[in-house]
Amino acid sequence: MSKAQDRIQVHTGDITKLDVDAIVNAANTSLLGGGGVDGAIHRAAGRELEFECRMLNGCNVGDAKITKGYKLPARHVIHTVGPVWQGGGKGEAGLLASCYRRSLELAVANDCRSVAFPAISTGVYRYPKDDAAKVAVYEVNDFIKHNVLPEIVVLCCFDEAMAKLYRRHLAILGEY
Ligand code: AR6
């Protein structure tokens, strides 16, 4: 049987272009759009995404909610809200891990075979990139070890520097 980590792929590029069952959005608690990856997803999906988001009554930090993908190649968007980095002593790591776990739970509940994540909280929310990569890799690996779905999880980054961090943490996992 293949290792869980063989189901994790690192991709450098624009998440809005990915033809997967679900892409994850690094949103804010209002779920009504913003900058960064959130803005890119809303622009690519079209206004209907915002209309559906308005019905969701926001989302707590560390939680996730799902919508359709509208004009995106992805069938669904899973909106999660990462923590704002405040130095690490405000439960940030646990909240970030929860974003990955709750998003994957929603993916399973909606029969998603492939899911792509951006590097949640590492932009405007200033989470240190190496620490965020570690949380993402460990949480995703732990989840897929215990679940058949999703078959593939894509860790999508905008730049090669972030991709390197993911690959390093995946390699460390492979040593165990
Ligand atoms: N595809 C893949 N990754 C992207 C893309 C893209 N199209 N665009 C940006 N990134 P951020 P956060 C990367 O700031 O830190 C919004 O205003 C980017 O390089 O989008 O969780 C929300 O509404 C970075 O590594 O999200 C919230 O208010 C990562 O995505 C707030 O920003 C996340 O950066 C959320 O902040």
PDB file of all heavy atoms in Angstrom, residues 84-124:
ATOM      1  N   VAL A  84      -4.898  35.116  12.281  1.00  0.00           N
ATOM      2  CA  VAL A  84      -3.928  36.198  12.094  1.00  0.00           C
ATOM      3  C   VAL A  84      -2.767  35.873  13.030  1.00  0.00           C
ATOM      4  O   VAL A  84      -2.977  35.527  14.200  1.00  0.00           O
ATOM      5  CB  VAL A  84      -4.543  37.564  12.495  1.00  0.00           C
ATOM      6  CG1 VAL A  84      -3.498  38.671  12.395  1.00  0.00           C
ATOM      7  CG2 VAL A  84      -5.749  37.885  11.626  1.00  0.00           C
ATOM      8  N   TRP A  85      -1.529  35.939  12.516  1.00  0.00           N
ATOM      9  CA  TRP A  85      -0.351  35.654  13.351  1.00  0.00           C
ATOM     10  C   TRP A  85      -0.178  36.763  14.383  1.00  0.00           C
ATOM     11  O   TRP A  85      -0.133  37.936  14.043  1.00  0.00           O
ATOM     12  CB  TRP A  85       0.894  35.551  12.478  1.00  0.00           C
ATOM     13  CG  TRP A  85       2.129  35.247  13.264  1.00  0.00           C
ATOM     14  CD1 TRP A  85       3.100  36.131  13.616  1.00  0.00           C
ATOM     15  CD2 TRP A  85       2.504  33.979  13.807  1.00  0.00           C
ATOM     16  NE1 TRP A  85       4.075  35.481  14.346  1.00  0.00           N
ATOM     17  CE2 TRP A  85       3.735  34.166  14.490  1.00  0.00           C
ATOM     18  CE3 TRP A  85       1.923  32.706  13.796  1.00  0.00           C
ATOM     19  CZ2 TRP A  85       4.399  33.124  15.129  1.00  0.00           C
ATOM     20  CZ3 TRP A  85       2.580  31.669  14.447  1.00  0.00           C
ATOM     21  CH2 TRP A  85       3.795  31.879  15.103  1.00  0.00           C
ATOM     22  N   GLN A  86      -0.121  36.336  15.676  1.00  0.00           N
ATOM     23  CA  GLN A  86       0.062  37.335  16.743  1.00  0.00           C
ATOM     24  C   GLN A  86       1.252  36.962  17.619  1.00  0.00           C
ATOM     25  O   GLN A  86       1.247  37.253  18.815  1.00  0.00           O
ATOM     26  CB  GLN A  86      -1.212  37.416  17.576  1.00  0.00           C
ATOM     27  CG  GLN A  86      -2.406  37.929  16.780  1.00  0.00           C
ATOM     28  CD  GLN A  86      -3.673  37.942  17.621  1.00  0.00           C
ATOM     29  OE1 GLN A  86      -3.865  38.810  18.464  1.00  0.00           O
ATOM     30  NE2 GLN A  86      -4.522  36.959  17.404  1.00  0.00           N
ATOM     31  N   GLY A  87       2.210  36.239  17.029  1.00  0.00           N
ATOM     32  CA  GLY A  87       3.406  35.877  17.780  1.00  0.00           C
ATOM     33  C   GLY A  87       3.474  34.399  18.151  1.00  0.00           C
ATOM     34  O   GLY A  87       4.487  33.918  18.628  1.00  0.00           O
ATOM     35  N   GLY A  88       2.381  33.688  17.968  1.00  0.00           N
ATOM     36  CA  GLY A  88       2.398  32.242  18.192  1.00  0.00           C
ATOM     37  C   GLY A  88       1.799  31.807  19.522  1.00  0.00           C
ATOM     38  O   GLY A  88       1.559  30.612  19.731  1.00  0.00           O
ATOM     39  N   GLY A  89       1.537  32.753  20.418  1.00  0.00           N
ATOM     40  CA  GLY A  89       1.020  32.383  21.733  1.00  0.00           C
ATOM     41  C   GLY A  89      -0.489  32.490  21.866  1.00  0.00           C
ATOM     42  O   GLY A  89      -1.041  32.395  22.962  1.00  0.00           O
ATOM     43  N   LYS A  90      -1.166  32.660  20.743  1.00  0.00           N
ATOM     44  CA  LYS A  90      -2.632  32.844  20.810  1.00  0.00           C
ATOM     45  C   LYS A  90      -3.367  31.666  20.157  1.00  0.00           C
ATOM     46  O   LYS A  90      -4.451  31.832  19.604  1.00  0.00           O
ATOM     47  CB  LYS A  90      -3.016  34.149  20.089  1.00  0.00           C
ATOM     48  CG  LYS A  90      -2.470  35.397  20.771  1.00  0.00           C
ATOM     49  CD  LYS A  90      -3.409  35.870  21.880  1.00  0.00           C
ATOM     50  CE  LYS A  90      -2.810  36.887  22.831  1.00  0.00           C
ATOM     51  NZ  LYS A  90      -2.551  38.170  22.253  1.00  0.00           N
ATOM     52  N   GLY A  91      -2.731  30.502  20.203  1.00  0.00           N
ATOM     53  CA  GLY A  91      -3.373  29.304  19.663  1.00  0.00           C
ATOM     54  C   GLY A  91      -3.368  29.250  18.143  1.00  0.00           C
ATOM     55  O   GLY A  91      -4.151  28.497  17.537  1.00  0.00           O
ATOM     56  N   GLU A  92      -2.475  30.002  17.521  1.00  0.00           N
ATOM     57  CA  GLU A  92      -2.460  30.074  16.054  1.00  0.00           C
ATOM     58  C   GLU A  92      -2.249  28.705  15.392  1.00  0.00           C
ATOM     59  O   GLU A  92      -2.910  28.383  14.408  1.00  0.00           O
ATOM     60  CB  GLU A  92      -1.381  31.052  15.552  1.00  0.00           C
ATOM     61  CG  GLU A  92      -1.652  32.510  15.881  1.00  0.00           C
ATOM     62  CD  GLU A  92      -0.928  32.938  17.148  1.00  0.00           C
ATOM     63  OE1 GLU A  92      -0.820  32.138  18.094  1.00  0.00           O
ATOM     64  OE2 GLU A  92      -0.473  34.091  17.201  1.00  0.00           O
ATOM     65  N   ALA A  93      -1.313  27.910  15.932  1.00  0.00           N
ATOM     66  CA  ALA A  93      -1.006  26.618  15.295  1.00  0.00           C
ATOM     67  C   ALA A  93      -2.220  25.687  15.316  1.00  0.00           C
ATOM     68  O   ALA A  93      -2.541  25.039  14.315  1.00  0.00           O
ATOM     69  CB  ALA A  93       0.199  25.958  15.970  1.00  0.00           C
ATOM     70  N   GLY A  94      -2.905  25.663  16.449  1.00  0.00           N
ATOM     71  CA  GLY A  94      -4.094  24.815  16.569  1.00  0.00           C
ATOM     72  C   GLY A  94      -5.203  25.278  15.636  1.00  0.00           C
ATOM     73  O   GLY A  94      -5.912  24.458  15.033  1.00  0.00           O
ATOM     74  N   LEU A  95      -5.344  26.588  15.513  1.00  0.00           N
ATOM     75  CA  LEU A  95      -6.392  27.125  14.630  1.00  0.00           C
ATOM     76  C   LEU A  95      -6.054  26.850  13.164  1.00  0.00           C
ATOM     77  O   LEU A  95      -6.940  26.507  12.372  1.00  0.00           O
ATOM     78  CB  LEU A  95      -6.555  28.635  14.861  1.00  0.00           C
ATOM     79  CG  LEU A  95      -7.202  29.011  16.199  1.00  0.00           C
ATOM     80  CD1 LEU A  95      -7.017  30.497  16.491  1.00  0.00           C
ATOM     81  CD2 LEU A  95      -8.695  28.640  16.191  1.00  0.00           C
ATOM     82  N   LEU A  96      -4.774  26.981  12.810  1.00  0.00           N
ATOM     83  CA  LEU A  96      -4.396  26.702  11.421  1.00  0.00           C
ATOM     84  C   LEU A  96      -4.604  25.213  11.105  1.00  0.00           C
ATOM     85  O   LEU A  96      -5.156  24.866  10.057  1.00  0.00           O
ATOM     86  CB  LEU A  96      -2.933  27.108  11.174  1.00  0.00           C
ATOM     87  CG  LEU A  96      -2.469  26.996   9.731  1.00  0.00           C
ATOM     88  CD1 LEU A  96      -3.288  27.896   8.799  1.00  0.00           C
ATOM     89  CD2 LEU A  96      -0.977  27.329   9.604  1.00  0.00           C
ATOM     90  N   ALA A  97      -4.209  24.351  12.019  1.00  0.00           N
ATOM     91  CA  ALA A  97      -4.419  22.905  11.825  1.00  0.00           C
ATOM     92  C   ALA A  97      -5.911  22.624  11.652  1.00  0.00           C
ATOM     93  O   ALA A  97      -6.312  21.822  10.801  1.00  0.00           O
ATOM     94  CB  ALA A  97      -3.855  22.132  13.017  1.00  0.00           C
ATOM     95  N   SER A  98      -6.728  23.304  12.437  1.00  0.00           N
ATOM     96  CA  SER A  98      -8.176  23.117  12.353  1.00  0.00           C
ATOM     97  C   SER A  98      -8.727  23.527  10.982  1.00  0.00           C
ATOM     98  O   SER A  98      -9.650  22.890  10.463  1.00  0.00           O
ATOM     99  CB  SER A  98      -8.828  23.921  13.478  1.00  0.00           C
ATOM    100  OG  SER A  98     -10.224  23.894  13.342  1.00  0.00           O
ATOM    101  N   CYS A  99      -8.150  24.576  10.367  1.00  0.00           N
ATOM    102  CA  CYS A  99      -8.571  24.986   9.015  1.00  0.00           C
ATOM    103  C   CYS A  99      -8.395  23.827   8.032  1.00  0.00           C
ATOM    104  O   CYS A  99      -9.274  23.548   7.202  1.00  0.00           O
ATOM    105  CB  CYS A  99      -7.719  26.151   8.498  1.00  0.00           C
ATOM    106  SG  CYS A  99      -8.048  27.711   9.313  1.00  0.00           S
ATOM    107  N   TYR A 100      -7.241  23.163   8.096  1.00  0.00           N
ATOM    108  CA  TYR A 100      -6.975  22.048   7.180  1.00  0.00           C
ATOM    109  C   TYR A 100      -7.917  20.883   7.466  1.00  0.00           C
ATOM    110  O   TYR A 100      -8.513  20.302   6.559  1.00  0.00           O
ATOM    111  CB  TYR A 100      -5.495  21.617   7.277  1.00  0.00           C
ATOM    112  CG  TYR A 100      -4.600  22.604   6.563  1.00  0.00           C
ATOM    113  CD1 TYR A 100      -4.029  23.688   7.220  1.00  0.00           C
ATOM    114  CD2 TYR A 100      -4.377  22.493   5.190  1.00  0.00           C
ATOM    115  CE1 TYR A 100      -3.252  24.625   6.554  1.00  0.00           C
ATOM    116  CE2 TYR A 100      -3.593  23.429   4.507  1.00  0.00           C
ATOM    117  CZ  TYR A 100      -3.034  24.485   5.202  1.00  0.00           C
ATOM    118  OH  TYR A 100      -2.276  25.406   4.512  1.00  0.00           O
ATOM    119  N   ARG A 101      -8.078  20.559   8.763  1.00  0.00           N
ATOM    120  CA  ARG A 101      -8.912  19.413   9.137  1.00  0.00           C
ATOM    121  C   ARG A 101     -10.370  19.643   8.770  1.00  0.00           C
ATOM    122  O   ARG A 101     -11.007  18.792   8.142  1.00  0.00           O
ATOM    123  CB  ARG A 101      -8.757  19.177  10.643  1.00  0.00           C
ATOM    124  CG  ARG A 101      -9.108  17.779  11.080  1.00  0.00           C
ATOM    125  CD  ARG A 101      -8.657  17.528  12.506  1.00  0.00           C
ATOM    126  NE  ARG A 101      -9.079  18.593  13.417  1.00  0.00           N
ATOM    127  CZ  ARG A 101      -8.234  19.436  14.029  1.00  0.00           C
ATOM    128  NH1 ARG A 101      -6.944  19.353  13.830  1.00  0.00           N
ATOM    129  NH2 ARG A 101      -8.700  20.369  14.843  1.00  0.00           N
ATOM    130  N   ARG A 102     -10.909  20.779   9.113  1.00  0.00           N
ATOM    131  CA  ARG A 102     -12.332  21.069   8.827  1.00  0.00           C
ATOM    132  C   ARG A 102     -12.572  21.120   7.314  1.00  0.00           C
ATOM    133  O   ARG A 102     -13.623  20.681   6.833  1.00  0.00           O
ATOM    134  CB  ARG A 102     -12.745  22.416   9.461  1.00  0.00           C
ATOM    135  CG  ARG A 102     -12.860  22.393  10.960  1.00  0.00           C
ATOM    136  CD  ARG A 102     -14.048  21.557  11.437  1.00  0.00           C
ATOM    137  NE  ARG A 102     -15.310  22.052  10.886  1.00  0.00           N
ATOM    138  CZ  ARG A 102     -16.168  21.305  10.199  1.00  0.00           C
ATOM    139  NH1 ARG A 102     -15.928  20.017   9.980  1.00  0.00           N
ATOM    140  NH2 ARG A 102     -17.271  21.832   9.726  1.00  0.00           N
ATOM    141  N   SER A 103     -11.616  21.660   6.557  1.00  0.00           N
ATOM    142  CA  SER A 103     -11.768  21.717   5.099  1.00  0.00           C
ATOM    143  C   SER A 103     -11.776  20.302   4.527  1.00  0.00           C
ATOM    144  O   SER A 103     -12.587  19.983   3.638  1.00  0.00           O
ATOM    145  CB  SER A 103     -10.607  22.508   4.474  1.00  0.00           C
ATOM    146  OG  SER A 103     -10.634  23.844   4.924  1.00  0.00           O
ATOM    147  N   LEU A 104     -10.903  19.455   5.040  1.00  0.00           N
ATOM    148  CA  LEU A 104     -10.851  18.073   4.538  1.00  0.00           C
ATOM    149  C   LEU A 104     -12.106  17.305   4.935  1.00  0.00           C
ATOM    150  O   LEU A 104     -12.611  16.488   4.156  1.00  0.00           O
ATOM    151  CB  LEU A 104      -9.581  17.382   5.051  1.00  0.00           C
ATOM    152  CG  LEU A 104      -8.291  17.902   4.402  1.00  0.00           C
ATOM    153  CD1 LEU A 104      -7.058  17.476   5.189  1.00  0.00           C
ATOM    154  CD2 LEU A 104      -8.184  17.432   2.945  1.00  0.00           C
ATOM    155  N   GLU A 105     -12.638  17.569   6.111  1.00  0.00           N
ATOM    156  CA  GLU A 105     -13.898  16.917   6.514  1.00  0.00           C
ATOM    157  C   GLU A 105     -15.031  17.303   5.564  1.00  0.00           C
ATOM    158  O   GLU A 105     -15.833  16.454   5.160  1.00  0.00           O
ATOM    159  CB  GLU A 105     -14.259  17.310   7.956  1.00  0.00           C
ATOM    160  CG  GLU A 105     -13.427  16.591   8.991  1.00  0.00           C
ATOM    161  CD  GLU A 105     -13.573  17.158  10.410  1.00  0.00           C
ATOM    162  OE1 GLU A 105     -14.387  18.087  10.616  1.00  0.00           O
ATOM    163  OE2 GLU A 105     -12.854  16.671  11.286  1.00  0.00           O
ATOM    164  N   LEU A 106     -15.081  18.576   5.195  1.00  0.00           N
ATOM    165  CA  LEU A 106     -16.121  19.020   4.251  1.00  0.00           C
ATOM    166  C   LEU A 106     -15.899  18.394   2.875  1.00  0.00           C
ATOM    167  O   LEU A 106     -16.860  18.055   2.178  1.00  0.00           O
ATOM    168  CB  LEU A 106     -16.113  20.542   4.117  1.00  0.00           C
ATOM    169  CG  LEU A 106     -16.842  21.332   5.184  1.00  0.00           C
ATOM    170  CD1 LEU A 106     -16.738  22.823   4.879  1.00  0.00           C
ATOM    171  CD2 LEU A 106     -18.318  20.917   5.233  1.00  0.00           C
ATOM    172  N   ALA A 107     -14.641  18.255   2.477  1.00  0.00           N
ATOM    173  CA  ALA A 107     -14.333  17.624   1.190  1.00  0.00           C
ATOM    174  C   ALA A 107     -14.852  16.186   1.175  1.00  0.00           C
ATOM    175  O   ALA A 107     -15.487  15.752   0.204  1.00  0.00           O
ATOM    176  CB  ALA A 107     -12.826  17.652   0.939  1.00  0.00           C
ATOM    177  N   VAL A 108     -14.630  15.465   2.252  1.00  0.00           N
ATOM    178  CA  VAL A 108     -15.097  14.074   2.348  1.00  0.00           C
ATOM    179  C   VAL A 108     -16.630  14.033   2.303  1.00  0.00           C
ATOM    180  O   VAL A 108     -17.223  13.236   1.567  1.00  0.00           O
ATOM    181  CB  VAL A 108     -14.588  13.413   3.651  1.00  0.00           C
ATOM    182  CG1 VAL A 108     -15.252  12.061   3.867  1.00  0.00           C
ATOM    183  CG2 VAL A 108     -13.074  13.263   3.619  1.00  0.00           C
ATOM    184  N   ALA A 109     -17.263  14.911   3.052  1.00  0.00           N
ATOM    185  CA  ALA A 109     -18.730  14.932   3.118  1.00  0.00           C
ATOM    186  C   ALA A 109     -19.340  15.242   1.753  1.00  0.00           C
ATOM    187  O   ALA A 109     -20.495  14.900   1.486  1.00  0.00           O
ATOM    188  CB  ALA A 109     -19.191  15.962   4.140  1.00  0.00           C
ATOM    189  N   ASN A 110     -18.566  15.857   0.877  1.00  0.00           N
ATOM    190  CA  ASN A 110     -19.053  16.212  -0.461  1.00  0.00           C
ATOM    191  C   ASN A 110     -18.389  15.372  -1.555  1.00  0.00           C
ATOM    192  O   ASN A 110     -18.382  15.764  -2.723  1.00  0.00           O
ATOM    193  CB  ASN A 110     -18.847  17.708  -0.715  1.00  0.00           C
ATOM    194  CG  ASN A 110     -19.813  18.536   0.117  1.00  0.00           C
ATOM    195  OD1 ASN A 110     -20.937  18.781  -0.293  1.00  0.00           O
ATOM    196  ND2 ASN A 110     -19.398  18.927   1.311  1.00  0.00           N
ATOM    197  N   ASP A 111     -17.871  14.217  -1.165  1.00  0.00           N
ATOM    198  CA  ASP A 111     -17.297  13.240  -2.113  1.00  0.00           C
ATOM    199  C   ASP A 111     -16.201  13.801  -3.009  1.00  0.00           C
ATOM    200  O   ASP A 111     -16.126  13.457  -4.189  1.00  0.00           O
ATOM    201  CB  ASP A 111     -18.403  12.646  -3.009  1.00  0.00           C
ATOM    202  CG  ASP A 111     -19.341  11.762  -2.221  1.00  0.00           C
ATOM    203  OD1 ASP A 111     -18.844  11.047  -1.334  1.00  0.00           O
ATOM    204  OD2 ASP A 111     -20.567  11.820  -2.480  1.00  0.00           O
ATOM    205  N   CYS A 112     -15.400  14.697  -2.484  1.00  0.00           N
ATOM    206  CA  CYS A 112     -14.318  15.268  -3.295  1.00  0.00           C
ATOM    207  C   CYS A 112     -13.126  14.305  -3.333  1.00  0.00           C
ATOM    208  O   CYS A 112     -12.610  13.915  -2.289  1.00  0.00           O
ATOM    209  CB  CYS A 112     -13.870  16.605  -2.715  1.00  0.00           C
ATOM    210  SG  CYS A 112     -15.165  17.856  -2.796  1.00  0.00           S
ATOM    211  N   ARG A 113     -12.718  13.973  -4.540  1.00  0.00           N
ATOM    212  CA  ARG A 113     -11.545  13.090  -4.694  1.00  0.00           C
ATOM    213  C   ARG A 113     -10.255  13.895  -4.743  1.00  0.00           C
ATOM    214  O   ARG A 113      -9.188  13.373  -4.459  1.00  0.00           O
ATOM    215  CB  ARG A 113     -11.702  12.263  -5.972  1.00  0.00           C
ATOM    216  CG  ARG A 113     -12.878  11.300  -5.886  1.00  0.00           C
ATOM    217  CD  ARG A 113     -13.151  10.634  -7.210  1.00  0.00           C
ATOM    218  NE  ARG A 113     -12.023   9.821  -7.624  1.00  0.00           N
ATOM    219  CZ  ARG A 113     -11.960   9.182  -8.788  1.00  0.00           C
ATOM    220  NH1 ARG A 113     -12.958   9.268  -9.651  1.00  0.00           N
ATOM    221  NH2 ARG A 113     -10.915   8.453  -9.095  1.00  0.00           N
ATOM    222  N   SER A 114     -10.352  15.157  -5.173  1.00  0.00           N
ATOM    223  CA  SER A 114      -9.145  15.997  -5.249  1.00  0.00           C
ATOM    224  C   SER A 114      -9.439  17.368  -4.656  1.00  0.00           C
ATOM    225  O   SER A 114     -10.488  17.959  -4.931  1.00  0.00           O
ATOM    226  CB  SER A 114      -8.695  16.131  -6.704  1.00  0.00           C
ATOM    227  OG  SER A 114      -9.768  16.563  -7.514  1.00  0.00           O
ATOM    228  N   VAL A 115      -8.525  17.857  -3.834  1.00  0.00           N
ATOM    229  CA  VAL A 115      -8.688  19.141  -3.148  1.00  0.00           C
ATOM    230  C   VAL A 115      -7.373  19.910  -3.221  1.00  0.00           C
ATOM    231  O   VAL A 115      -6.311  19.318  -3.035  1.00  0.00           O
ATOM    232  CB  VAL A 115      -9.029  18.932  -1.651  1.00  0.00           C
ATOM    233  CG1 VAL A 115      -9.186  20.263  -0.938  1.00  0.00           C
ATOM    234  CG2 VAL A 115     -10.278  18.113  -1.497  1.00  0.00           C
ATOM    235  N   ALA A 116      -7.449  21.210  -3.505  1.00  0.00           N
ATOM    236  CA  ALA A 116      -6.238  22.036  -3.533  1.00  0.00           C
ATOM    237  C   ALA A 116      -6.328  23.118  -2.456  1.00  0.00           C
ATOM    238  O   ALA A 116      -7.364  23.783  -2.316  1.00  0.00           O
ATOM    239  CB  ALA A 116      -6.057  22.680  -4.900  1.00  0.00           C
ATOM    240  N   PHE A 117      -5.243  23.281  -1.711  1.00  0.00           N
ATOM    241  CA  PHE A 117      -5.142  24.302  -0.652  1.00  0.00           C
ATOM    242  C   PHE A 117      -4.154  25.388  -1.033  1.00  0.00           C
ATOM    243  O   PHE A 117      -3.047  25.078  -1.488  1.00  0.00           O
ATOM    244  CB  PHE A 117      -4.595  23.682   0.641  1.00  0.00           C
ATOM    245  CG  PHE A 117      -5.565  22.874   1.439  1.00  0.00           C
ATOM    246  CD1 PHE A 117      -5.673  21.506   1.235  1.00  0.00           C
ATOM    247  CD2 PHE A 117      -6.340  23.469   2.419  1.00  0.00           C
ATOM    248  CE1 PHE A 117      -6.553  20.740   2.001  1.00  0.00           C
ATOM    249  CE2 PHE A 117      -7.221  22.718   3.186  1.00  0.00           C
ATOM    250  CZ  PHE A 117      -7.327  21.350   2.975  1.00  0.00           C
ATOM    251  N   PRO A 118      -4.474  26.646  -0.773  1.00  0.00           N
ATOM    252  CA  PRO A 118      -3.434  27.688  -0.806  1.00  0.00           C
ATOM    253  C   PRO A 118      -2.705  27.635   0.543  1.00  0.00           C
ATOM    254  O   PRO A 118      -3.128  26.922   1.448  1.00  0.00           O
ATOM    255  CB  PRO A 118      -4.241  28.981  -0.931  1.00  0.00           C
ATOM    256  CG  PRO A 118      -5.485  28.694  -0.142  1.00  0.00           C
ATOM    257  CD  PRO A 118      -5.768  27.195  -0.313  1.00  0.00           C
ATOM    258  N   ALA A 119      -1.643  28.409   0.671  1.00  0.00           N
ATOM    259  CA  ALA A 119      -0.904  28.453   1.944  1.00  0.00           C
ATOM    260  C   ALA A 119      -1.643  29.397   2.891  1.00  0.00           C
ATOM    261  O   ALA A 119      -1.315  30.589   3.004  1.00  0.00           O
ATOM    262  CB  ALA A 119       0.529  28.899   1.701  1.00  0.00           C
ATOM    263  N   ILE A 120      -2.645  28.841   3.571  1.00  0.00           N
ATOM    264  CA  ILE A 120      -3.556  29.620   4.427  1.00  0.00           C
ATOM    265  C   ILE A 120      -2.776  30.445   5.464  1.00  0.00           C
ATOM    266  O   ILE A 120      -1.832  29.932   6.076  1.00  0.00           O
ATOM    267  CB  ILE A 120      -4.528  28.665   5.160  1.00  0.00           C
ATOM    268  CG1 ILE A 120      -5.355  27.857   4.148  1.00  0.00           C
ATOM    269  CG2 ILE A 120      -5.457  29.424   6.119  1.00  0.00           C
ATOM    270  CD1 ILE A 120      -6.012  26.609   4.760  1.00  0.00           C
ATOM    271  N   SER A 121      -3.175  31.689   5.631  1.00  0.00           N
ATOM    272  CA  SER A 121      -2.629  32.631   6.642  1.00  0.00           C
ATOM    273  C   SER A 121      -1.234  33.181   6.340  1.00  0.00           C
ATOM    274  O   SER A 121      -0.733  34.004   7.100  1.00  0.00           O
ATOM    275  CB  SER A 121      -2.605  32.022   8.063  1.00  0.00           C
ATOM    276  OG  SER A 121      -3.891  32.005   8.611  1.00  0.00           O
ATOM    277  N   THR A 122      -0.576  32.729   5.257  1.00  0.00           N
ATOM    278  CA  THR A 122       0.834  33.142   5.054  1.00  0.00           C
ATOM    279  C   THR A 122       0.991  34.452   4.280  1.00  0.00           C
ATOM    280  O   THR A 122       2.112  34.885   4.024  1.00  0.00           O
ATOM    281  CB  THR A 122       1.644  32.060   4.314  1.00  0.00           C
ATOM    282  OG1 THR A 122       1.111  31.902   2.989  1.00  0.00           O
ATOM    283  CG2 THR A 122       1.617  30.744   5.054  1.00  0.00           C
ATOM    284  N   GLY A 123      -0.131  35.076   3.905  1.00  0.00           N
ATOM    285  CA  GLY A 123      -0.068  36.356   3.185  1.00  0.00           C
ATOM    286  C   GLY A 123      -0.382  37.493   4.137  1.00  0.00           C
ATOM    287  O   GLY A 123       0.383  37.792   5.060  1.00  0.00           O
ATOM    288  N   VAL A 124      -1.541  38.095   3.930  1.00  0.00           N
ATOM    289  CA  VAL A 124      -1.997  39.221   4.750  1.00  0.00           C
ATOM    290  C   VAL A 124      -1.973  38.877   6.250  1.00  0.00           C
ATOM    291  O   VAL A 124      -1.686  39.737   7.089  1.00  0.00           O
ATOM    292  CB  VAL A 124      -3.437  39.628   4.336  1.00  0.00           C
ATOM    293  CG1 VAL A 124      -3.989  40.716   5.233  1.00  0.00           C
ATOM    294  CG2 VAL A 124      -3.456  40.097   2.888  1.00  0.00           C
TER     295      VAL A 124
END
